[in-house]
Amino acid sequence: TVGAVARDAAGGLAAATSTGGVTGKRWGRIGDSPLIGAGTYADDRACAVSATGSGEFFIRTSCAHEIAARIRLAGEDAATATETVLAEITAMGGTGGVIVMPLDGAPFWRFSTKGMYRGRVTADQAAEVGVFDDE
Amino acid sequence: MTWALAIHGGAGSMTRANPGPAGARDALAQALAAGEAVLVEGGAALDAVEAAVRVLEDAPEFNAGRGAALSYDGVAELDAAIMHGATRKAGAVAGVTATRHPVSLARAVMEQSPHVLLGGAGADAFAVAHGLEPATQDWLILPERRAQLEIMRAKPDGAFDVEMKFG
């Protein structure tokens, strides 16, 4: 699974996700990526999110929308909202990660796996990429 | 307000002992450059995320587009979504098999149809009708993905292995 979240100079947000699903999927199994609100969500009132991981858990928690809703309705900061929702997914037995673009400030990621292919670049910060959890 | 971009290529069991494909970091850097080129010129976030994801869909190191994981029947069945934060317009496709950039097909659904999510053969037909760049299964499928599928199918319960996605 691959994804991107962006904020433009006007403050507009967007999110996108694309995937082949999981190896050996059967019976027309669809994961969270194409489900708006599960693996992909963008709302200029809150944040933009793209997710990757065991899709069924991201669907059941409506992960991407839940993060945005906690920010918009509960006034949580983006990191707290993200960590709370990922902790719910972990408690259910799911694994994976998200990239999050807040309304202002730097984008960030959280993941519960050993690694996550990721990168970011901002108007103020040079491009950086990472794979392992300790970099 | 300042522009910003973040990308991912999937989460999984990559460790320093088991780092995954060598070209992944370069592909991530190229995807960032593609999105940055849009944003630095004052372009829209929607164009930036599409540009970045298209690069990653073409990169064989990641589970999307070319290099996607295969279904039990050995088919590259691709899913994608895109969403615009200001209007909350969204487009998505599921189970498409013949489009080079599923994220662009998802955007076409958002901008050229009244729908949000199209699936299967209907979504493939929508791609043809709207002139999206086609891709054959031969182009989408890599030998290592076939090998991965064979390993999985050889397992007694045939259960798929989420961790083995490598993005």
Side-chain angles (χ1 to χ4, degrees):
Chain A
T1 304
V2 302
V5 289
R7 183 180 65 230
D8 55 40
L13 303 181
T17 311
S18 183
T19 189
V22 290
T23 300
K25 63 186 179 184
R26 297 184 83 171
W27 327 126
R29 181 262 184 191
I30 302 293
D32 61 312
S33 298
L35 301 187
I36 298 301
T40 308
Y41 198 71
D43 182 343
D44 280 12
R45 303 170 299 178
C47 65
V49 180
S50 175
T52 174
S54 37
E56 282 70 9
F57 297 91
F58 287 74
I59 295 172
R60 289 167 54 198
T61 54
S62 298
C63 171
H65 182 271
E66 185 75 358
I67 292 171
R70 295 182 76 97
I71 294 167
R72 178 165 58 88
L73 299 173
E76 281 185 350
D77 64 271
T80 301
T82 302
E83 289 157 9
T84 304
V85 176
L86 262 190
E88 280 179 33
I89 288 171
T90 303
M92 285 176 167
T95 62
V98 291
I99 54 174
V100 180
M101 180 63 71
L103 290 178
D104 54 26
F108 62 90
W109 38 69
R110 294 291 187 275
F111 53 95
S112 61
T113 46
K114 294 177 192 134
M116 179 169 168
Y117 293 109
R118 59 200 189 274
R120 64 182 169 187
V121 61
T122 77
D124 314 313
Q125 185 181 350
E128 59 173 310
V129 303
V131 176
F132 310 118
D133 56 1
D134 59 358
E135 56 179 321
Chain B
M1 185 57 63
T2 57
W3 61 263
L5 171 70
I7 61 173
H8 71 80
S13 51
M14 302 79 84
T15 62
R16 293 191 187 282
N18 182 19
R25 288 177 188 268
D26 288 346
L28 291 171
Q30 288 163 31
L32 285 176
E36 180 179 8
V38 172
L39 294 168
V40 78
E41 295 297 328
L46 195 67
D47 296 330
V49 296
E50 182 185 9
V53 169
R54 283 167 64 100
V55 171
L56 295 174
E57 286 175 334
D58 279 345
E61 295 83 2
F62 300 110
N63 172 20
R66 185 159 195 261
L70 302 183
S71 72
Y72 188 82
D73 299 320
V75 180
E77 296 175 355
L78 310 176
D79 307 332
I82 193 166
M83 188 164 186
H84 181 231
T87 59
R88 279 179 285 153
K89 284 187 176 181
V93 290
V96 298
T97 61
T99 299
R100 177 174 179 181
H101 293 122
V103 70
S104 297
L105 178 51
R107 183 165 183 176
V109 172
M110 179 176 81
E111 295 178 336
Q112 303 177 54
S113 92
H115 308 304
V116 172
L117 173 57
L118 299 182
D124 280 335
F126 183 89
V128 173
H130 291 79
L132 274 293
E133 182 179 359
T136 62
Q137 286 281 308
D138 283 347
W139 189 81
L140 292 168
I141 296 175
L142 300 182
E144 46 270 47
R145 286 298 190 179
R146 285 198 203 284
Q148 197 177 29
L149 177 61
E150 289 320 308
I151 292 169
M152 191 283 303
R153 286 174 60 146
K155 288 181 183 173
D157 59 358
F160 60 72
D161 183 342
V162 173
E163 284 297 304
M164 277 298 287
K165 286 184 295 180
F166 285 133

